[in-house]
Amino acid sequence: MINERVQITEEKLLSDNWYVLKRFTFNYLGKNGQWATQQREAYDRGNGATILLHNPQADTVILTRQFRLPTFVNGNLNGMLIEACAGLLDNDDPETAIIRETEEETGYRIQSVQKVMEAYMSPGSVTEKLFFYLAEYTADTERNAGGGIEEEEIDILELPVSEALAMMERGEIMDGKTIMLLQHLRLKQLTCSQN
């Protein structure tokens, strides 16, 4: 259902260097019945998908570590961030995209995934919606080199779930999507152990 309290009056392209940054001018009908003109910028990089690979027998997860410039300029001293595998959809459906990204980043060839949720990660400034998945892997799961495309330089980490949760509590894992997936997995494990 379209929000009739919003009327976009101008859309101005500010940058399309890496992704697309636009400034929107719009009229917004407040609860007081008055229209007000506002301006906001929105960064459009497309939608993405993320996945947590879990080995239930060993109770381990696969995470990645790579340099993230925005974290570096905002206080992350070495700029390295530990994350769940993720990537943009690039015109694919979310499931196809995350299976492709999983192999590209981690090397693991997975056949099926379980959708967990969809979420807007920074809705005040970024248009991106993320699709969250879980998938199982084992020591026998087919694997290629992984590590992402050449300029990404992605390290692959296999960690016990307990250690990943401890790293999150110590502030060593600070990525929102990864925290959400680890918490989801932990809640799922707790629910299963109580049944």
Side-chain angles (χ1 to χ4, degrees):
M1 181 172 161
I2 293 182
N3 188 342
E4 295 181 359
R5 295 171 56 192
V6 179
Q7 301 170 341
I8 295 177
T9 58
E10 184 184 14
E11 181 178 319
K12 183 175 182 180
L13 179 67
L14 300 179
S15 173
D16 65 353
N17 185 29
W18 186 251
Y19 295 109
V20 177
L21 178 63
K22 291 182 180 179
R23 182 177 64 222
F24 293 88
T25 304
F26 60 99
N27 296 324
Y28 184 81
L29 180 61
K31 291 180 180 178
N32 63 3
Q34 301 294 311
W35 287 94
T37 299
Q38 299 182 19
Q39 284 189 334
R40 296 288 185 275
E41 293 178 2
Y43 189 59
D44 185 352
R45 57 187 305 269
N47 293 328
T50 184
I51 192 166
L52 185 63
L53 298 179
H54 177 237
N55 180 331
Q57 290 77 31
D59 202 25
T60 55
V61 291
I62 299 295
L63 297 174
T64 65
R65 179 176 48 221
Q66 62 184 305
F67 179 76
R68 296 296 198 183
L69 176 69
T71 74
F72 181 71
V73 299
N74 191 27
N76 181 4
L77 297 180
N78 66 9
M80 301 302 284
L81 202 64
I82 296 172
E83 307 174 53
C85 172
L88 295 177
L89 301 187
D90 293 333
N91 298 317
D92 282 331
D93 64 271
E95 189 172 311
T96 300
I98 200 57
I99 289 172
R100 177 193 72 236
E101 283 293 327
T102 300
E103 184 172 357
E104 182 181 293
E105 288 194 2
T106 70
Y108 284 92
R109 282 193 173 173
I110 54 171
Q111 304 303 316
S112 63
V113 296
Q114 175 194 355
K115 185 176 177 186
V116 174
M117 68 183 108
E118 299 175 19
Y120 292 99
M121 297 302 290
S122 189
S125 58
V126 180
T127 61
E128 180 184 34
K129 180 175 17 173
L130 271 184
F131 297 83
F132 290 73
Y133 293 91
L134 290 177
E136 292 186 4
Y137 78 98
T138 68
D140 298 326
T141 301
E142 185 180 351
R143 207 169 160 211
N144 291 321
I149 55 179
E150 190 172 309
E151 66 268 15
E152 288 181 310
E153 295 187 357
I154 297 172
D155 298 325
I156 312 304
L157 309 175
E158 183 172 29
L159 301 168
V161 171
S162 59
E163 178 59 17
L165 292 168
M167 291 172 73
M168 185 183 68
E169 290 174 7
R170 293 191 302 261
E172 296 168 30
I173 294 177
M174 297 182 67
D175 174 62
K177 66 185 178 297
T178 305
I179 291 169
M180 291 167 71
L181 281 168
L182 286 169
Q183 294 284 23
H184 176 83
L185 177 63
R186 184 65 183 133
L187 288 171
K188 185 177 173 184
Q189 289 178 326
L190 288 172
T191 302
C192 289
S193 69
Q194 292 173 357
N195 291 338

